[in-house]
């Protein structure tokens, strides 16, 4: 243990002597979080909406006017329903509106016709925004004018709402919110700090020739690995809460129901990544190689973890890759904790997976770090 | 007293090519043992094998009475190792480096650390970053760090390379002090004058030991060769003429004297004849010195 403390002290001294690196550890997450936060939060304006109005009645006109008046959408007419989908797919429109030919007829018959809306799911914030607008479109102002139709017919039971609005999210059936991304962003930032810091931790000793001195010393492999892991676990863990705090302050990130669960998540996730960083370090001869390998882990983590695209939507032969990435479980847990308010019991397997990764990576780094060079 | 280091046919191959090839050595307690050899002879590899950094491919070795392969970890706290290249943390100060290297063994008191810094003339740099020291002071610090845990056996891989003569003498003073305390030093060097400072020597060439013993025994066993000194400054024609003789092994120019190492079958008269052809220089049969032996041993085998 004394050896571990000596190593830890040395690591901290080395870090302390590299003020620029400390700057990166603090500033990179701030800049990136704000960037991501803003990019994913911006309220869309002037959203183009392609519409087809087969009804051409005063009622359909009323709906369109109401949408216009929201000051949010710009409507333009297209030929048919297929054209709506096509325009959204090609990015000419972000939303669509389809009013069927017998809308007013059904309305007057009190048959509760449906108006169809389409939203481009690849703009996550739009889907959320549309959800909020939905109420405005079907609100009393419109509805009351439609109830007017046959005020005296007593033998007709009036439906609670004169018409229904069916909103279909295209290309991204799972509805996304700003928050949907932000917790994942935290995980990405931690991953960057953890992998790069530790990825180079052993390599630096190789490049300094100091590894030989450690090898001839009586330090054991376990002491060595612990002395390397612990300082960086502390740093990355502090960074985890630092970034969370920024999210809470700047982006109204929800609080978790259980702070203990969040703490536990931070601990297993950070330990796993730091250990993975060490594995990378034992595999690398130069710092360049270590950074290359770190990025090699980082990119699939971002793309294949369900952070951006839902895992279910990925081809089945790719899906196993997602389950080999610690980040996948992190995303699942942190979304569960901060957004969905999931029951802890549901998240237990994901916690177990993260803890398993941490244990395996630590074991691999201890095995890989031999006390000889050849 | 049995040997502090006993090796038997130690071999190390890199990608099939032997760097150390069947080396058998014996180093006894309290001596300064010098390992000599040209570049790539395998000196550093030998030290790294004995210090347990590299694994032996063949042969066996005992260090401090422990088997190098089986009981490697038992040896570690008793040995010190100064690598050929600096192994310091450049971001840490001189004092912090020393403190760290002592802490990973049995930590020593501040006073002892101060004393070590003083012994190596490092006190006034104590608060300076190791990366900013000059080469010679980095070397001093490396040695001080390797001594912090008071090892019984110290491996020094070219401890005086790139060191000025005054500092070199100071370092050797320290080495003698250590040896007087009963420590064993295993040193590699390229300096012939340093070979003379060692108690015993081994010449390594292409991974093999080509001579071993005290300086005197090595020189006296250097038979079959004669060394002549020719009073001539550099003369290309003379050199070419001499090298054309099958008995001339090699030449070594020192200012206005040329040293000629020949097979002892060559008579002084025939050498004189050839020299006369080029200049009017006197030749003189001299005692071989360590450098002659070193050159001849490593050269001869190079030609074969
Ligand atoms: N890790 C290694 N991998 C491959 N080859 C190596 C390795 N270490 C040394 N060698 C080779 O082994 C041979 C002996 O090298 P070594 O460093 O032991 O020589 P040396 O006697 O210390 O030379 P110098 O006087 O230049 O320091 C060289 O040919 C070198 O290229
Ligand atoms: Mg060497």
């Amino acid at each position: 243990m004394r050896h571990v403390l000596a190593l830890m002290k040395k690591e901290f001294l080395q870090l302390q002597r590299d003020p620029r690196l400390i700057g990166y550890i603090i500033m990179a997450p701030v800049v990136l979080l704000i960037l991501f936060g803003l990019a994913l939060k911006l309220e869309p304006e002037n959203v183009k909406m392609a519409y087809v109005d087969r009804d051409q009645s005063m009622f359909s006109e009323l709906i369109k006017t109401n949408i216009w008046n929201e000051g949010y959408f710009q409507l333009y007419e297209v030929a048919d329903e297929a054209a709506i989908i096509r325009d959204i797919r090609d990015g000419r429109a972000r939303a669509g509106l389809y009013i069927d030919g017998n809308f007013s007829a059904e309305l007057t018959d009190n048959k509760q016709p449906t108006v169809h809306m389409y939203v481009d799911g690849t703009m996550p914030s739009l889907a959320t925004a549309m959800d909020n607008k939905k109420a405005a479109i079907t609100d009393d102002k419109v509805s009351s004018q439609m109830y007017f139709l046959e005020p005296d017919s007593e033998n007709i039971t009036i439906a609670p709402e004169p018409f229904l609005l069916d909103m279909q999210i295209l290309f991204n059936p799972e509805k996304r919110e700003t928050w949907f991304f932000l917790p994942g962003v935290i995980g990405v930032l931690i991953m960057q700090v953890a992998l790069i810091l530790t990825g180079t931790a052993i390599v630096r000793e190789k490049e300094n020739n100091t590894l030989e001195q450690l090898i001839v010393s009586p330090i054991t492999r376990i002491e060595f690995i612990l002395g390397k892991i612990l300082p960086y676990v502390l740093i990355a863990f502090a960074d985890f809460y630092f970034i969370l705090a920024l999210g809470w302050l700047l982006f109204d990130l929800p609080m978790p129901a259980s702070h203990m669960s969040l703490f536990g998540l931070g601990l297993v996730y950070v330990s796993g990544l730091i250990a993975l960083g060490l594995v990378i370090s034992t595999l690398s001869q130069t710092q360049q190689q270590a950074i290359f390998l770190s990025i090699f882990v980082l990119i699939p983590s971002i793309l294949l973890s369900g952070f951006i695209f839902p895992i279910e939507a990925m081809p089945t032969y790719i899906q196993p890759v997602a389950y080999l990435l610690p980040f996948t479980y992190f995303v699942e847990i942190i979304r569960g904790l901060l957004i969905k308010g999931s029951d802890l019991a549901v998240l237990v397997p994901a916690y177990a997976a993260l803890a398993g990764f941490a244990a395996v990576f630590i074991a691999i780094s201890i095995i890989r770090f031999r006390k000889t060079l050849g | 007293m049995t040997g502090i280091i006993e090796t038997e046919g130690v071999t190390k191959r890199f990608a099939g090519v032997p760097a150390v090839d069947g080396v058998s050595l014996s180093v006894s307690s309290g001596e300064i043992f010098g390992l000599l050899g040209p570049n790539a002879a395998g000196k550093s590899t030998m030290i790294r094998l004995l210090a347990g950094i590299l694994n032996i491919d063949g042969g066996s070795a005992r260090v401090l009475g422990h088997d190098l392969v089986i009981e490697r970890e038992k040896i570690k706290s008793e040995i010190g190792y100064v690598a050929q290249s600096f192994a310091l943390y450049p971001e840490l100060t001189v004092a912090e480096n020393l403190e760290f290297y002592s802490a990973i063994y049995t930590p020593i008191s501040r006073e002892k650390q101060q004393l070590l810094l003083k012994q190596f003339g490092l006190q006034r740099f104590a608060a300076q970053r190791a990366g900013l020291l000059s080469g010679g002071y980095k070397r001093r610090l490396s040695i001080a760090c390797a001594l912090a845990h008071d090892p019984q056996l110290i491996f020094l891989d070219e401890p005086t390379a790139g060191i000025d003569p005054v500092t070199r003498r100071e370092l050797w003073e320290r080495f003698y002090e250590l040896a007087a305390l009963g420590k064993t030093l295993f040193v590699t060097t390229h300096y012939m004058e340093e070979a003379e400072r060692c108690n015993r020597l081994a010449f390594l060439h292409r991974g093999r030991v080509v001579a071993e013993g005290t300086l005197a025994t090595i020189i006296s066993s250097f038979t079959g060769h004669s060394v002549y000194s020719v009073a001539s400054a550099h003369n290309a024609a003379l050199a070419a003429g001499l090298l054309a003789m099958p008995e001339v092994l090699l030449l070594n120019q020192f200012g206005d004297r040329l040293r000629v190492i020949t097979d002892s079958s060559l008579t002084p008269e025939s050498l004189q004849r050839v020299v006369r052809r080029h200049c009017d220089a006197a030749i003189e049969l001299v005692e071989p010195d360590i450098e002659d032996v070193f050159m001849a041993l490593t050269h001869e085998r190079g030609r074969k």
Side-chain angles (χ1 to χ4, degrees):
Chain A
M1 198 57 216
R2 207 186 52 231
H3 291 164
V4 177
L5 288 177
L7 270 167
M8 287 178 68
K9 182 177 171 195
K10 185 218 78 187
E11 289 302 316
F12 277 122
L13 278 173
Q14 281 183 294
L15 274 177
Q16 189 194 323
R17 302 286 153 76
D18 193 345
R20 196 174 290 193
L21 187 63
I22 298 173
Y24 292 160
I25 295 172
I26 296 170
M27 281 318 290
V30 174
V31 171
L32 292 179
L33 188 80
I34 291 176
L35 212 63
F36 283 130
L38 289 180
L40 300 172
K41 204 189 183 177
L42 281 180
E43 279 264 311
E45 283 171 10
N46 294 328
V47 175
K48 295 235 166 40
M49 180 184 269
Y51 77 87
V52 174
D53 181 3
R54 296 242 188 272
D55 195 44
Q56 302 282 359
S57 66
M58 61 170 286
F59 303 113
S60 64
E61 210 55 48
L62 200 63
I63 291 174
K64 284 187 293 185
T65 313
N66 204 280
I67 292 173
W68 264 117
N69 290 346
E70 275 296 303
Y72 191 72
F73 297 103
Q74 286 181 349
L75 284 93
Y76 71 96
E77 192 162 10
V78 291
D80 50 16
E81 217 175 338
I84 296 179
I85 311 280
R86 203 168 49 239
D87 275 15
I88 294 179
R89 188 195 61 207
D90 299 345
R92 279 188 294 275
R94 284 291 178 194
L97 176 74
Y98 180 81
I99 303 174
D100 201 58
N102 42 25
F103 176 73
S104 49
E106 286 184 2
L107 197 67
T108 45
D109 281 357
N110 252 328
K111 280 193 179 146
Q112 230 186 4
T114 304
V115 172
H116 298 275
M117 273 181 89
Y118 303 92
V119 186
D120 181 355
T122 61
M123 254 184 103
S125 46
L126 182 63
T128 320
M130 289 287 279
D131 228 10
N132 302 333
K133 302 292 172 206
K134 209 164 130 183
I137 294 163
T138 55
D139 77 358
D140 295 347
K141 241 187 341 188
V142 193
S143 308
S144 59
Q145 293 175 59
M146 296 189 180
Y147 281 127
F148 237 79
L149 303 170
E150 281 175 280
D152 306 324
S153 12
E154 277 147 48
N155 55 344
I156 292 170
T157 42
I158 295 172
E161 283 161 336
F163 70 93
L164 296 175
L165 187 65
D166 169 61
M167 194 164 89
Q168 204 182 328
I169 297 171
L170 300 176
F171 314 121
N172 180 5
E174 221 181 280
K175 209 162 23 123
R176 300 295 173 84
E177 315 177 29
T178 307
W179 293 338
F180 195 83
F181 281 109
L182 216 50
V185 168
I186 294 170
V188 174
L189 298 179
I190 289 298
M191 192 159 31
Q192 181 193 8
V193 168
L195 288 186
I196 305 262
L197 271 187
T198 2
T200 55
I202 297 179
V203 181
R204 234 190 10 232
E205 304 264 2
K206 281 183 198 162
E207 289 186 349
N208 274 343
N209 293 315
T210 45
L211 192 59
E212 272 192 5
Q213 294 297 338
L214 297 179
I215 288 173
V216 296
S217 82
I219 287 187
T220 66
R221 291 200 279 187
I222 293 171
E223 285 173 334
F224 178 80
I225 296 297
L226 281 182
K228 282 284 175 188
I229 286 183
L230 291 178
Y232 296 107
V233 166
L234 291 178
I235 290 168
F237 197 63
D239 225 22
F240 174 66
Y241 270 100
F242 173 66
I243 302 170
L244 273 172
L246 282 181
W248 284 322
L249 285 175
L250 300 179
F251 297 108
D252 298 326
L253 193 69
M255 283 286 171
S258 150
H259 273 282
M260 270 310 289
S261 318
L262 191 64
F263 186 88
L265 170 65
L267 207 62
V268 281
Y269 181 60
V270 161
S271 314
L273 285 180
I274 296 292
L276 176 59
L278 271 193
V279 173
I280 287 176
S281 209
T282 61
L283 291 171
S284 310
Q285 295 299 322
T286 63
Q287 300 202 31
Q288 272 104 328
Q289 290 174 8
I291 289 171
F292 189 91
L293 274 181
S294 303
I295 293 172
F296 186 72
V297 173
L298 213 67
I299 290 177
S301 292
I302 293 172
L303 295 180
L304 303 179
S305 59
F307 167 50
I308 295 180
F309 312 111
I311 296 174
E312 316 79 67
M314 297 191 303
T316 43
Y317 53 87
I318 293 287
Q319 289 184 13
V321 179
Y323 294 107
L324 288 176
L325 297 165
F327 186 54
T328 303
Y329 303 96
F330 175 85
V331 169
E332 185 187 331
I333 297 174
I334 198 153
R335 275 179 187 160
L337 290 180
L338 294 187
I339 298 171
K340 298 189 205 146
S342 306
D343 218 11
L344 198 56
V346 182
L347 301 175
V348 164
Y351 270 104
L354 275 185
F357 274 116
V360 167
F361 290 143
I362 290 175
I364 294 177
S365 57
I366 291 175
I367 294 165
R368 284 263 339 158
F369 174 71
R370 300 200 175 284
K371 277 210 71 187
T372 53
L373 290 177
Chain B
M1 174 81 207
T2 57
I4 289 283
I5 300 175
E6 297 280 0
T7 78
E8 194 54 57
V10 164
T11 299
K12 177 70 187 177
R13 279 180 282 270
F14 292 113
V17 183
V20 167
D21 196 359
V23 170
S24 302
L25 288 177
S26 167
V27 179
S28 31
S29 178
E31 78 176 351
I32 301 182
F33 186 90
L35 189 62
L36 277 71
N39 291 136
K43 302 182 297 295
S44 298
T45 306
M46 189 64 199
I47 281 199
R48 291 158 90 204
L49 287 169
L50 293 175
I53 298 168
L54 296 174
N55 290 312
I56 290 179
D57 288 337
S60 66
R62 295 184 79 78
V63 175
L64 293 160
H66 299 290
D67 187 282
L68 186 55
V69 179
I70 304 163
E71 304 172 298
R72 190 202 300 273
E73 296 303 317
K74 287 193 185 154
I75 300 167
K76 298 213 149 156
S77 55
E78 294 297 328
I79 60 171
Y81 168 63
V82 181
Q84 186 171 352
S85 45
F86 307 118
L88 301 167
Y89 294 97
E91 308 90 345
L92 302 195
T93 65
V94 167
E96 284 163 353
N97 267 287
L98 187 62
E99 187 192 336
F100 173 69
Y101 278 124
S102 107
I104 59 176
Y105 291 86
T106 319
I108 55 170
S109 65
R110 293 242 166 242
E111 293 72 55
K112 281 210 177 131
Q113 291 176 30
Q114 287 298 327
L115 186 68
L116 259 177
L117 289 179
K118 201 170 154 199
Q119 283 172 336
F120 283 89
L122 286 160
Q123 322 102 294
R124 63 196 168 102
F125 300 109
Q128 188 171 322
R129 291 199 191 177
L132 302 177
L133 292 175
S134 76
Y137 279 87
K138 277 184 187 153
R139 181 70 70 191
R140 290 166 187 235
L141 178 56
S142 305
I143 298 172
C145 287
L147 295 178
H149 60 288
D150 197 24
Q152 286 307 307
L153 170 62
I154 305 141
F155 294 103
L156 298 137
D157 196 355
E158 295 188 30
T160 55
I163 299 286
D164 70 65
V166 177
T167 309
R168 205 185 302 163
R169 208 203 63 225
E170 280 173 24
L171 286 177
W172 274 95
E173 293 284 299
R174 297 282 313 122
F175 298 164
Y176 283 124
E177 283 168 33
L178 289 166
L181 289 170
K183 318 281 181 205
T184 309
L185 283 80
F186 189 102
V187 185
T188 70
T189 181
H190 288 135
Y191 297 110
M192 293 307 138
E193 128 236 343
E194 286 190 355
E196 294 167 18
R197 294 181 189 262
C198 296
N199 302 115
R200 264 169 6 95
L201 298 170
F203 276 24
L204 211 55
H205 183 55
R206 301 193 169 192
R208 292 170 177 275
V209 176
V210 292
E212 195 199 341
T214 62
L215 187 70
T217 53
I218 288 178
I219 293 179
S220 63
S221 62
F222 183 62
T223 51
H225 299 279
S226 307
V227 181
Y228 294 91
S229 178
V230 182
S232 161
H234 180 69
N235 181 335
L238 170 65
L242 287 172
L243 282 173
M245 302 175 74
E247 298 91 346
V248 171
L249 206 60
L250 57 96
L251 308 175
N252 202 3
Q253 184 79 47
F254 292 90
D256 51 10
R257 298 198 77 79
L258 179 67
R259 251 176 131 81
V260 184
I261 303 171
T262 70
D263 197 273
S264 46
S265 61
L266 185 73
T267 57
E269 293 71 34
S270 40
L271 182 67
Q272 186 74 66
R273 254 197 316 278
V274 176
V275 170
R276 284 261 164 71
R277 255 183 247 152
H278 299 279
C279 61
D280 189 26
I283 69 164
E284 182 191 352
L285 185 64
V286 293
E287 282 295 310
D289 65 17
I290 183 75
E291 182 156 349
D292 298 323
V293 178
F294 180 83
M295 299 270 291
L297 282 176
T298 55
H299 183 79
E300 191 176 42
R301 299 180 72 95
R303 248 196 201 172
K304 269 185 199 162

